[in-house]
């Protein structure tokens, strides 16, 4: 009786991401998506008149859209390792013993605050998708003879660039700044999402082959 060969499957086979090129996410469905990171407005700190103006401006933004968008708010535990390193550098360079003691007490306070309380960092993203149906062809399947990624980019890039510029202009009226994520930033974002435990232990490269940890574990 022939021995059964174990089936090996990767989590990446079940993800909707096909590739990342030219600052765009190419999807297995044949579409693409543009990801922007935005700042935020503290609505609660605005006066009543400013809140009304913000609501009307946001309504105008929504009414101006002729394409779908997705708003993503991502919360993650704050990583203070880089900030703690800056404090250590300031401590080393400080010649005054009294100021050194103050810096040491400040670092202890910051570390204790983060350890005792769950300090979250909120990141805001806006995703603009491009459907393959907009180009007049059906979704791409993983078979031979399909439309290559280069052709997808050729069709999707100008359409998404126009939508991006429109959204950035409308967001600026709300006092919100937005910028498109680069290819490197997209790779780091997806790697962070799917590998939260190892993202701080490995520097993410541009090429998938350079990872010492799988893109998705």
């Amino acid at each position: 009786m022939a021995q059964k060969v174990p089936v090996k499957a990767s989590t990446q086979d079940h993800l909707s991401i096909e590739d990342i090129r030219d600052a765009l996410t190419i999807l297995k469905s044949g579409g693409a998506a543009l990801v922007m990171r935005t700042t935020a407005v503290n609505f609660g700190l605005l006066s009543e008149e400013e809140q009304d103006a913000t609501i009307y401006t946001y309504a105008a933004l929504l009414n101006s859209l002729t394409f779908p968008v997705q708003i993503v708010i991502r919360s993650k535990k704050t990583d203070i390792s880089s900030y703690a390193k800056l404090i250590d550098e300031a401590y080393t360079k400080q010649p005054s013993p009294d100021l050194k003691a103050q810096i040491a007490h400040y670092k202890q306070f910051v570390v204790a605050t983060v350890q005792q309380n769950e300090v979250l960092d909120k990141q805001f993203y806006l995703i603009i998708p491009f459907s393959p149906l907009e180009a007049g062809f059906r979704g791409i399947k993983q078979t031979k003879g399909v439309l290559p990624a280069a052709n997808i980019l050729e069709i999707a890039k100008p359409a998404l660039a126009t939508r991006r510029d429109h959204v950035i202009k409308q967001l600026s009226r709300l006092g919100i700044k937005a910028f498109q994520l680069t290819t490197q930033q997209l790779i780091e974002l997806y790697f962070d999402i799917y590998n939260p435990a190892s993202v701080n232990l490995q520097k993410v490269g541009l090429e998938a082959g350079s990872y010492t940890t799988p893109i998705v574990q």
Side-chain angles (χ1 to χ4, degrees):
M1 182 176 179
Q3 185 178 2
K4 292 184 179 180
V5 178
V7 178
K8 294 183 179 180
S10 170
T11 306
Q12 294 173 162
D13 296 336
H14 303 282
L15 298 180
S16 58
I17 300 174
E18 176 68 26
D19 200 357
I20 301 173
R21 295 189 189 180
D22 295 352
L24 294 180
T25 303
I26 302 174
L27 306 175
K28 292 180 180 178
S29 62
L34 181 150
V35 181
M36 292 192 296
R37 185 169 176 177
T38 74
T39 58
V41 174
N42 195 325
F43 189 80
L45 295 180
L46 300 177
S47 65
E48 185 176 350
E49 292 78 9
E50 290 173 329
Q51 289 181 348
D52 291 339
T54 300
I55 293 173
Y56 292 138
T57 305
Y58 183 65
L61 184 155
L62 296 179
N63 290 329
S64 70
L65 297 178
T66 58
F67 48 86
V69 297
Q70 181 181 5
I71 299 173
V72 176
I73 302 175
R74 184 167 180 248
S75 298
K76 58 180 296 187
K77 191 172 182 179
T78 302
D79 178 19
I80 65 165
S81 57
S82 58
Y83 185 59
K85 184 178 180 181
L86 291 175
I87 298 176
D88 290 336
E89 292 176 356
Y91 178 86
T92 303
K93 296 177 181 178
Q94 180 55 243
S96 171
D98 293 336
L99 291 178
K100 270 194 170 185
Q102 293 297 326
I103 293 174
H105 287 311
Y106 175 69
K107 181 181 178 181
Q108 292 176 358
F109 168 75
V110 172
V111 173
T113 301
V114 174
Q115 290 177 345
Q116 296 172 9
N117 303 280
E118 190 175 11
V119 181
L120 298 178
D121 175 32
K122 288 188 178 292
Q123 300 173 346
F124 303 87
Y125 299 93
L126 195 147
I127 296 91
I128 305 176
F130 178 85
S131 171
L133 299 177
E134 298 180 60
F137 58 89
R138 296 182 178 179
I140 296 176
K141 298 179 180 179
Q142 292 185 328
T143 56
K144 294 182 179 180
V146 300
L147 192 66
N151 294 79
I152 301 173
L153 290 174
E154 182 181 358
I155 299 170
K157 280 181 67 174
L160 289 175
T162 301
R163 298 174 183 179
R164 175 201 62 204
D165 294 342
H166 173 77
V167 171
I168 290 177
K169 181 179 179 180
Q170 294 296 321
L171 288 175
S172 65
R173 298 176 59 193
L174 287 165
I176 296 176
K177 296 181 180 180
F179 63 91
Q180 180 180 357
L181 297 187
T182 64
T183 299
Q184 173 69 11
Q185 290 171 333
L186 286 172
I187 293 175
E188 292 176 354
L189 174 62
Y190 296 138
F191 187 89
D192 188 8
I193 291 174
Y194 293 110
N195 302 276
S198 61
V199 69
N200 293 324
L201 303 178
Q202 174 181 332
K203 182 176 177 61
V204 181
L206 278 172
E207 300 296 334
S210 67
Y211 298 152
T212 58
T213 303
I215 298 176
V216 177
Q217 295 178 336

